[in-house]
Amino acid sequence: MLNRLLKTSILPLLIYWLLGGACFAELRGTGDLGVVIERERGSVLIIETSTRSILGRVGKLGDLSHASVVFSRDQRYAYVFARDGGLSKIDLLQNKLVRRIEQAGNSIGGAISQDGRFIAVANYQPGGVRIFTSEALELMADIPAVYGDEQRSRVVGLVDAPGRQFVYSLFDAGEIWLLDMQDPSRIEIQKFTGIGRQPYDALLTPGGRYYLAGLFGETGLALLDLWHPEAGVKRILPDYGRHDEKLPVYKMPHLEGWAVAGNLAFVPAVGRHEVLVIDTRQWRLVKSIPVAGQPVFVMARPDGRQIWVNFAFPDNQQVQVIDAEDLTVGRTLQPGKGVLHMEFTPRGEEVWISVRDDNQILVYDTRSFQEMARLPAVTPSGIFFTARAAKTGL
Amino acid sequence: MRRRFLLLLVAAGGVAAGEPDPKRQQELRSLLKNDCGACHGLTRKGGLGPPLLPESLSGKSDAMLLQTIQEGRPGTAMPPWKPFIDADETVWLIDNLLRKR
């Protein structure tokens, strides 16, 4: 009798509870999730912005200094690009590493294709781009960045672009390459040479029309109009700062956080403590805004009303907020020692800031500038929210 | 003047300079990891800057490394670090951190 009761009622109930605990109770979306890189531990935290909480940690991801992340288009998986060439696929719902490959010796970042099918990685060593399937991380194409006399260049500024394309820059060669993935079995490469010395990073305008590469080796920036690649790469701001002594740069700026408000773009100057404001209709300099140090990230709040800026050593304890209307610094915050990155919630009411030396992530309200939360993290650096999945060029 | 004296000492065979105190040593370790590491990699395997592993530096003299760190390398992205690290500290950093794993 007891045996029968167990079999008919308690056992199914037990199974239901066990399964329920493992799956059904966790039914949820991923639109308010994200990851924070813990650079020295080689791990990432999975976070949720709605409750400002940490959901889990995934480790053994390799050397995560200068790591970056893209998301699958269903926003369930995060792809982590490690400095040591590691490429990891993480399941945000199950809080686990799905697959990790070591695809190169030294790499700088990557992108996911417009259709979500391919992951491209920019490598320093061996210099070039490798393309993998997003599903299984199987190698699909290997494109060495060869220039001159069979030399290999380091690759920077890799972004996805509309029309199933990838665009990137060759730091050592001074070239921009456009990869057409329309037919993945026959990838076409268009090369733009002589675009300027030492392109160090690049960005794509929202919507994906313009690819803009910053130059370290000379003044100005290189601009490619992807609506008219036949027109070639042109140089903008060629005379900016030409006759001035450059200040030392203790950390290279990034161009990833493209900042646009109306027709204005905001980019970090190199070797000057300024944020440059560029009119994107004429591609002319409108103003240079003096700031607290060498800018590293210059990022627009999603509505474009504010521009948030962090800085290179030795000014990396602070963050400044530029008013996009009057083009002046309206606010200076002191989040703590070693501010490395900032990420806005999808619609921008809050911003998450990583503070490396304090082992903290700070969350600010972007309207009141009130500190809303502090979360513990071990030497946090990059912060990436799943809303990036729907943005071209991020 | 002081730096020239140190350079001579270093060139003459790496005589140990005055050691930074333990707190400062920790700051220098952190600086190497985070700030040198911004270009040369957290594990010093190189990035936009060249690798700084002991084997990659084995052909470089102490005097050259001291000069490079203190004054930077004009024409490259390497900035001068002397506003933040004095010559004694640089010598210690070369001997105890850069030349070792």
Side-chain angles (χ1 to χ4, degrees), chain A residues 117 192 195 237 255 273 281 288 360 368 390:
Chain A
R117 290 166 64 200
F192 301 89
I195 62 107
L237 274 52
L255 291 179
H273 295 177
R281 292 166 302 188
S288 46
Q360 299 269 315
S368 67

Side-chain angles (χ1 to χ4, degrees), chain B residues 2-19:
Chain B
R2 181 149 168 265
R3 195 163 72 244
R4 186 167 301 156
F5 179 57
L6 258 171
L7 271 169
L8 283 174
L9 273 181
V10 171
V15 179
E19 278 211 347

Side-chain angles (χ1 to χ4, degrees), chain B:
Chain B
M1 185 60 206
R2 181 149 168 265
R3 195 163 72 244
R4 186 167 301 156
F5 179 57
L6 258 171
L7 271 169
L8 283 174
L9 273 181
V10 171
V15 179
E19 278 211 347
D21 66 38
K23 179 168 172 287
R24 184 61 185 156
Q25 288 185 16
Q26 203 48 48
E27 285 170 3
L28 291 170
R29 278 194 186 88
S30 167
L31 196 103
L32 177 67
K33 188 170 63 184
N34 293 317
D35 300 306
C36 304
C39 286
H40 299 281
L42 182 76
T43 54
R44 287 186 259 148
K45 278 163 65 181
L48 280 186
L52 298 183
L53 296 170
E55 55 270 29
S56 9
L57 298 178
S58 60
K60 314 266 192 256
S61 70
D62 286 352
M64 182 271 187
L65 293 177
L66 179 62
Q67 167 79 17
T68 300
I69 295 168
Q70 284 285 297
E71 308 293 339
R73 291 278 298 277
T76 76
M78 179 68 180
W81 288 87
K82 66 182 172 191
F84 313 106
I85 321 172
D86 72 22
D88 282 354
E89 292 169 341
T90 306
V91 169
W92 181 86
L93 187 140
I94 293 166
D95 282 350
N96 294 278
L97 304 182
L98 280 184
R99 297 278 188 209
K100 289 171 186 165
R101 275 263 170 206

